[in-house]
Amino acid sequence: MKFSIERAVLVKAVSQAQSVVERRNTIPILANVLIEATPEGVSFRATDLDTEVVDRAPAQVERPGATTVSAVMLNEIARKLPDGALVQISSDDAAGRLSVQAGRSSFSLATLPREDFPVMASSEYSANFKAKADVLRRLFDKAKFAISTEETRYYLNGVYMHVAQVDGQPMLRCVATDGHRLARIDAPLPVGADEMPGVIVPRKTVAELRKLLDDDDTDIAVSVSETKVRFATPTLTLTSKVIDGTFPDYSRVIPMNNARKLEVDATDFARAVDRVATVSSERSRAVKLALDQDRLILSVNAPDAGAAEEELIVAYADDPLEIGFNAKYLQEIASQVDRDNAVFLFNGSGDAALIREGSDQSAVYVVMPMRV
């Protein structure tokens, strides 16, 4: 195998591929990236057996072939080469070495045979559709903060992507929850997604997916089966196993009859919460919200550290209410709000609060209260 590739192209391709590689591997081949050169270009493939990334890049291929080399090592070398360099890569299978040359720099890296590299088995996908990158980015970005990190409840360790009915209209929906807060985001259902099975996309896959979604106008080809999900652009393919579990009936925890309505500037609210939470103890980070006529008082009382209070002018015309929340949860939800106003709907001080983005019903958040 022998080819030449621009340094910037190599950096982008290898960094995206190597990001799925686990740093601590008991199987040496999983620390490697599979490089395959064909007359059409070069592909870089990496996997951790649950997730696989294939990045295709343009290159001048002199001699087709394939080998595997340390993903982290190749990424570090590519990053440290000078800007604008033309990188020449060639393999000597007999010696088990990969040569990387750019200008006066030369590296010789150990390789492992391509036959040892595990390639994720192809799957029959029951649904294939296309969605714009900005649509998928909104669905996953707004939901991912609520993913649980509790390994015992593994079925909550991802984003549940499925088809839902809203006023008789099918929607593509993403939901995440950790039992303390919940995010539910809707988008119009793309053509071809009607038969899509509901799948739980793992946290790591959600993070990797973000790299495909930078260009708003890109069409992302999405394929879904009961066991796998695949997202693809013309140059990058991300395939992942889905979490084998049943996502709970989240609709039961979304309050439908909360009548007390608070409207507040989302940015002002997030900053005020951040300021008063400065004195709260790290363990609880509880912030009390005291609501009265068009007035909100945020306060924290931490006996071992101090106290803080801040008043905001808001739109509120219901009965007075005092309720406490985890400051971090409030900030995370407020940071998801794209519109100027966040709308909070309360029932009582012991009941979950519902948060919306202005009049937009397509993004809904729920947060459980704390005792303060």
Side-chain angles (χ1 to χ4, degrees):
M1 178 183 75
K2 188 176 183 181
F3 63 90
S4 301
I5 186 169
E6 289 181 19
R7 180 254 180 197
V9 175
L10 179 65
V11 168
K12 184 170 184 287
V14 178
S15 68
Q16 286 177 323
Q18 69 91 35
S19 61
V20 306
V21 173
E22 292 292 341
R23 297 291 180 185
R24 295 186 183 132
N25 262 314
T26 53
I27 308 171
I29 194 74
L30 292 183
N32 282 15
V33 59
L34 171 60
I35 306 171
E36 294 178 291
T38 67
E40 289 75 45
V42 179
S43 70
F44 299 84
R45 184 188 302 262
T47 184
D48 64 358
L49 297 181
D50 291 324
T51 312
E52 180 186 80
V53 166
V54 184
D55 201 319
R56 290 165 287 278
Q60 293 174 297
V61 178
E62 250 180 79
R63 194 167 62 238
T67 191
T68 82
V69 69
S70 167
V72 172
M73 184 79 73
L74 183 60
N75 183 51
E76 284 293 299
I77 289 170
R79 276 195 322 109
K80 292 173 182 178
L81 291 174
D83 287 343
L86 184 66
V87 186
Q88 294 176 320
I89 295 177
S90 58
S91 66
D92 182 342
D93 293 341
R97 311 299 285 182
L98 182 81
S99 167
V100 180
Q101 290 184 303
R104 296 182 181 181
S105 300
S106 177
F107 304 86
S108 177
L109 307 178
T111 63
L112 289 172
R114 61 107 16 115
E115 293 76 25
D116 296 348
F117 193 87
V119 175
M120 196 172 274
S122 58
S123 181
E124 283 293 316
Y125 292 103
S126 52
N128 296 278
F129 59 92
K130 287 191 173 180
K132 287 291 184 188
D134 61 333
V135 172
L136 289 175
R137 187 173 66 232
R138 177 178 178 273
L139 283 170
F140 283 97
D141 273 7
K142 284 181 174 293
K144 67 185 180 185
F145 77 91
I147 294 174
S148 174
T149 55
E150 200 178 316
E151 297 301 330
T152 53
R153 302 168 80 190
Y154 64 92
Y155 48 85
L156 298 181
N157 293 165
V159 172
Y160 181 40
M161 180 173 72
H162 60 295
V163 179
Q165 296 291 327
V166 179
D167 298 329
Q169 290 292 317
M171 305 289 276
L172 181 60
R173 173 174 288 176
C174 281
V175 179
T177 183
D178 64 0
H180 303 290
R181 62 256 169 95
L182 176 145
R184 189 196 76 192
I185 320 298
D186 292 341
L189 190 70
V191 175
D194 315 57
E195 301 300 315
M196 183 186 87
V199 291
I200 306 170
V201 184
R203 183 197 307 111
K204 182 174 179 178
T205 307
V206 172
E208 291 301 322
L209 174 61
R210 190 64 183 77
K211 295 164 190 168
L212 277 74
L213 306 177
D214 278 339
D215 186 350
D216 286 2
D217 292 327
T218 303
D219 279 326
I220 308 294
V222 185
S223 303
V224 186
S225 74
E226 296 281 355
T227 57
K228 288 196 185 83
V229 61
R230 185 178 71 197
F231 302 91
T233 69
T235 60
L236 192 61
T237 302
L238 172 65
T239 309
S240 171
K241 293 178 182 176
V242 299
I243 292 174
D244 182 15
T246 303
F247 202 80
D249 180 8
Y250 58 86
S251 61
R252 291 187 305 140
V253 301
I254 298 177
M256 305 307 292
N257 300 311
N258 286 9
R260 298 176 178 181
K261 182 180 176 183
L262 159 71
E263 283 193 62
V264 60
D265 183 287
T267 306
D268 289 349
F269 178 78
R271 288 174 179 165
V273 170
D274 187 33
R275 281 191 289 269
V276 298
T278 308
V279 301
S280 68
S281 61
E282 199 61 44
R283 188 174 58 82
S284 66
R285 292 184 64 79
V287 172
K288 183 167 82 172
L289 279 61
L291 283 157
D292 208 339
Q293 199 71 27
D294 291 340
R295 192 173 69 147
L296 166 64
I297 295 175
L298 298 158
S299 63
V300 166
N301 188 8
D304 53 339
E309 186 175 293
E310 181 159 343
E311 185 176 325
L312 290 176
I313 303 300
V314 298
Y316 183 79
D318 294 299
D319 293 338
L321 174 69
E322 289 191 356
I323 188 168
F325 294 103
N326 181 305
K328 179 169 171 274
Y329 297 168
L330 288 181
Q331 286 174 276
E332 285 177 336
I333 289 174
S335 69
Q336 303 304 320
V337 177
D338 294 329
R339 304 186 174 217
D340 289 343
N341 274 11
V343 175
F344 287 74
L345 296 170
F346 302 103
N347 186 30
S349 58
D351 302 309
L354 183 80
I355 300 102
R356 293 199 315 255
E357 303 186 20
S359 58
D360 186 359
Q361 304 279 346
S362 68
V364 169
Y365 310 97
V366 178
V367 62
M368 299 301 291
M370 288 178 73
R371 283 186 178 170
V372 288

